[in-house]
């Protein structure tokens, strides 16, 4: 799964990277501890085919929920079942998005049940881009745009810590995931190559959703 991540790229740099029109209410950056239910950056296509960089609530809300907390918190969508799940199947066909990050956190567990956080980033130092799906929930006082990160089996690097990881898209595949280049998006929902990721242990300070500083991604000794 993916339950926390970091984003350090400035908003204007993100807009240029994705060739997207930025919204006026983008979340503050940098944020080294992005948590579920907060507003995150996401790139989607509007009705005219223009890419838009906007803010979405991390935590997908299906249209039948009576409130955002009416059911399970859906921060991840499993690649293996996304096309058949009632919550996600329409979004998987019609409402896919790109979710930029600098890296993500995962936790290992020892024999005593103690959990230790790890931080994974790209080996080439480039921004990381997750595959996402989005949904507008409109049963409240105001429409709420929500999203989930698509996950898949972990590759060998991430698999040393956890059996799942986010689907990481390469730049050449961004257009296909957004539906700009015809069909084939389903083929992108696979683990990143073994040479794409690197990971290291970090402080347990990241366990607190109140911690947001750059020290959270610094490597510590095992």
């Amino acid at each position: 799964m993916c339950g926390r991540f970091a984003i350090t790229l400035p908003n204007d740099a993100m807009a240029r990277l994705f060739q997207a029109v930025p919204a006026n209410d983008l979340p503050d950056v940098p944020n080294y501890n992005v948590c579920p239910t907060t507003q995150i950056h996401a790139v989607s296509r509007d009705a005219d085919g223009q890419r838009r960089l906007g803010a979405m609530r991390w935590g997908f809300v299906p249209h039948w929920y009576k409130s955002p907390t009416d059911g399970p918190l859906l921060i991840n969508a499993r690649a293996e079942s996304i096309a058949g799940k009632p919550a996600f199947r329409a979004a998987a066909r019609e409402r896919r998005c790109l979710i930029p990050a600098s890296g993500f956190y995962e936790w290992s567990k020892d024999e005593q049940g103690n959990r230790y956080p790890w931080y994974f980033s790209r080996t080439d130092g480039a921004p990381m881009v997750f595959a996402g799906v989005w949904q507008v929930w409109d049963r409240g006082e105001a429409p709420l745009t929500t999203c989930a990160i698509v996950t898949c089996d972990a590759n060998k690097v991430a698999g040393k810590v956890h059996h799942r990881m986010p689907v990481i898209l390469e730049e050449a595949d961004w257009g296909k995931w957004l539906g700009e280049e015809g069909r084939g998006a389903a083929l992108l929902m696979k683990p990143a190559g073994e040479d794409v990721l690197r990971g290291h242990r970090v402080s347990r300070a990241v366990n607190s959703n109140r911690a947001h500083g750059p020290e959270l991604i610094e490597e510590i000794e095992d």
Side-chain angles (χ1 to χ4, degrees), residues 7 9-27 29 39-46 50-56 97-101 129 145 178:
I7 177 67
L9 198 64
N11 289 328
D12 57 348
M14 274 188 265
R16 290 195 301 270
L17 177 66
F18 295 108
Q19 299 180 34
V21 177
N24 294 324
D25 60 346
L26 293 172
V29 284
Q39 295 289 305
I40 66 173
H41 300 79
V43 177
S44 59
R45 292 177 69 218
D46 64 19
Q50 172 66 56
R51 291 184 183 181
R52 300 281 177 177
L53 173 65
M56 297 186 185
C97 61
L98 308 174
I99 298 175
V129 178
T145 305
L178 289 176

Side-chain angles (χ1 to χ4, degrees), residues 54-185:
M56 297 186 185
R57 175 192 185 266
W58 184 17
F60 191 97
V61 181
H63 66 85
W64 62 81
Y65 276 24
K66 296 179 181 178
S67 74
T69 58
D70 194 34
L73 180 61
L74 305 177
I75 61 172
N76 294 155
R78 293 176 66 92
E80 299 86 346
S81 58
I82 191 173
K85 287 286 186 181
F88 298 123
R89 61 191 176 198
R93 292 193 308 268
E94 305 164 5
R95 296 185 300 278
R96 299 188 294 269
C97 61
L98 308 174
I99 298 175
S102 300
F104 66 93
Y105 299 95
E106 197 49 78
W107 280 258
S108 60
K109 186 182 295 186
D110 64 17
E111 295 178 354
Q112 288 73 43
N114 299 309
R115 300 175 74 240
Y116 301 95
W118 293 68
Y119 181 71
F120 292 93
S121 58
R122 291 188 59 107
T123 55
D124 60 9
M128 192 175 285
V129 178
F130 304 144
V133 291
W134 64 276
Q135 162 89 17
V136 175
W137 181 78
D138 58 4
R139 300 186 67 175
E141 294 182 0
L144 181 64
T145 305
T146 69
C147 65
I149 294 171
V150 181
T151 65
C152 60
D153 287 335
N155 64 13
K156 290 183 180 179
V157 176
K160 296 177 181 178
V161 177
H162 197 273
H163 66 285
R164 302 290 294 178
M165 66 177 290
V167 171
I168 298 171
L169 300 172
E170 297 299 325
E171 184 172 357
D173 296 324
W174 295 350
K176 182 171 288 186
W177 184 254
L178 289 176
E180 298 170 347
E181 301 172 10
R183 300 183 178 182

